[in-house]
């Protein structure tokens, strides 16, 4: 536990304080060695990326060569054409998505988060590692006791935004726990979530996002 704490303290010096001192007008967020900075246009984002590369080099760090990029937050109002219009951050994938306007009962394009493909892959692997179909000695209650803590955590975190994106995972859980001659033997059924409002924080108000990388 000491190493992550020290790394976080170091990044607070190398990045947080530097951003507050040199770019007080730009909103940003950081978790461990992953971060986002929100810029007003592409030129500002590219300039910041270059500055940040110099700053990290001064601290004997470097930006991740593939994860660090400038992303255009394309939505209904920002309709420009740029090569990068999505990014992953903390298990979520942010990209243009169809969002329902509940007041007008219509669809529009928003820049919204949902569980990322890599997070879904990791969750499916966790289910596979349980080898439920081989655990023939377990009752449905035993299987539920193994799965419930995992599902509660995943649904609580990844179900906060775009919960329907988790449906394929829940179907996979059903298939993995199926042991009988028909579907009635499945341990679980697909859960229906109460819809939550789409993410409309300051992330969506930014036109260009920069720096979604790791320090190495």
């Amino acid at each position: 536990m000491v190493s992550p704490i020290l790394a976080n303290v170091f990044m607070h010096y190398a990045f947080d304080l530097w951003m507050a001192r040199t770019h007080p007008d730009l909103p940003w967020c950081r978790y461990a060695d992953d971060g986002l900075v929100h810029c007003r246009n592409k030129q500002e984002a590219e300039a910041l990326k270059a500055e940040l590369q110099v700053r990290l080099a001064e601290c004997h760090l470097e930006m991740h060569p593939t994860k660090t990029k400038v992303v255009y937050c394309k939505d209904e109002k920002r309709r420009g054409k740029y090569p990068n219009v999505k990014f992953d951050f903390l298990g979520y994938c942010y990209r243009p998505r169809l969002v329902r306007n509940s007041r007008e009962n219509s669809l529009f394009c928003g820049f919204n988060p949902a569980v990322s493909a890599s997070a879904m892959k990791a969750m499916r692997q966790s289910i596979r590692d349980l080898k439920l179909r081989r655990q023939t000695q377990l009752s449905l209650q035993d299987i539920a006791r193994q799965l419930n803590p995992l599902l509660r955590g995943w649904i609580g975190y990844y179900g906060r935004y775009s919960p329907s994106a988790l449906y394929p995972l829940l179907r996979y859980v059903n298939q993995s726990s199926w042991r009988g001659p028909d579907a009635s033997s499945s341990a679980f059924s697909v859960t229906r979530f109460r819809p939550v409002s789409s993410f409309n924080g300051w992330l969506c108000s930014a036109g260009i996002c920069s720096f979604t990388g790791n320090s190495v």
Side-chain angles (χ1 to χ4, degrees), residues 9-213:
V9 171
F10 187 69
M11 285 302 296
H12 177 69
Y13 162 76
F15 177 74
D16 301 357
L17 297 180
W18 179 81
M19 281 296 302
R21 184 176 67 254
T22 60
H23 297 282
D25 57 327
L26 297 182
W28 58 270
C29 62
R30 179 183 65 81
Y31 183 84
D33 56 357
D34 286 340
L36 298 171
V37 180
H38 306 269
C39 303
R40 290 170 284 261
N41 52 60
K42 183 180 179 181
Q43 292 72 25
E44 186 176 54
E46 293 286 3
L48 176 64
K49 182 181 176 183
E51 288 182 49
L52 186 57
Q53 191 168 11
V54 173
R55 169 59 179 172
L56 293 179
E58 292 173 350
C59 299
H60 304 285
L61 300 172
E62 62 182 18
M63 292 188 292
H64 195 286
T66 58
K67 290 184 178 180
T68 303
K69 56 186 176 181
V70 172
V71 177
Y72 181 65
C73 301
K74 186 175 183 178
D75 62 10
E76 192 76 11
K77 296 181 180 180
R78 296 182 288 264
R79 301 187 178 185
K81 294 184 178 180
Y82 293 92
N84 295 322
V85 293
K86 67 177 182 179
F87 64 90
D88 287 0
F89 186 59
L90 301 182
Y92 277 94
C93 178
Y94 294 79
R95 65 172 177 82
R97 302 176 190 274
L98 282 179
V99 180
R100 181 173 296 279
N101 186 326
S102 57
R103 293 183 179 178
E104 301 180 3
N105 194 28
S106 60
L107 297 176
F108 66 95
C109 180
F111 193 81
N112 293 70
V115 57
S116 68
S118 59
M120 288 285 283
K121 182 179 179 180
M123 288 185 284
R124 285 194 296 267
Q125 183 60 52
S126 295
I127 298 299
R128 282 194 295 270
D129 291 342
L130 294 176
K131 301 178 181 179
L132 295 177
R133 290 192 177 185
R134 299 182 183 181
Q135 305 292 332
T136 56
Q137 79 282 3
L138 298 179
S139 66
L140 294 182
Q141 290 75 19
D142 293 331
I143 294 175
R145 276 191 288 269
Q146 291 189 46
L147 287 175
N148 283 347
L150 295 174
L151 296 179
R152 278 196 299 265
W154 293 337
I155 292 171
Y157 183 74
Y158 294 111
R160 181 65 181 85
Y161 307 110
S162 304
S164 60
L166 285 174
Y167 289 174
L169 173 69
L170 299 178
R171 286 194 292 268
Y172 181 78
V173 171
N174 269 345
Q175 295 168 0
S176 299
S177 58
W178 185 86
R179 293 189 301 181
D182 53 49
S184 63
S185 299
S186 178
F188 300 91
S189 61
V190 173
T191 303
R192 292 192 177 275
F193 298 98
R194 176 177 62 83
V196 296
S197 58
S198 60
F199 182 75
N200 59 1
W202 52 265
L203 174 64
C204 295
S205 67
I208 297 287
C209 292
S210 171
F211 166 44
T212 59

